Amino acid sequence: DLLDIVIPWKFAVGKSRNALLGLLRSNSDADVAKCTSAGISHVREINGEASSEDISKAMGELTELKGVGPAGASVILSMVRPD
């Protein structure tokens, strides 16, 4: 889903960085599952308003993936916690 849904949407509404596609594709399915599960778990555990520490922790899990920076991590997490 990262390559099929999230990245095409991000490139359509933001600056397209086609050079990142190779990095994104180099992530194993296991790494993508591990990092996204960890990041999503962090934001789901937040009760009430998220602190900057909470957000940084969740984004840090996702930015361990090659080619995923703060903007990509924000897109992924906003699908779970739009707030």
Side-chain angles (χ1 to χ4, degrees), residues 2-62:
L2 177 66
L3 288 173
D4 296 334
I5 298 169
V6 175
I7 299 306
W9 176 85
K10 182 181 173 292
F11 284 3
V13 299
K15 187 173 183 179
S16 181
R17 291 187 159 81
N18 292 325
L20 290 179
L21 288 176
L23 286 174
L24 292 164
R25 287 187 178 116
S26 72
N27 292 299
S28 70
D29 289 345
D31 285 344
V32 172
K34 181 187 83 149
C35 293
T36 55
S37 292
I40 289 169
S41 290
H42 285 307
V43 296
R44 284 189 172 152
E45 292 171 358
I46 298 168
N47 294 317
E49 190 172 329
S51 69
S52 60
E53 184 179 314
D54 292 328
I55 294 166
S56 292
K57 189 173 182 179
M59 288 181 65
E61 296 288 351
L62 292 164

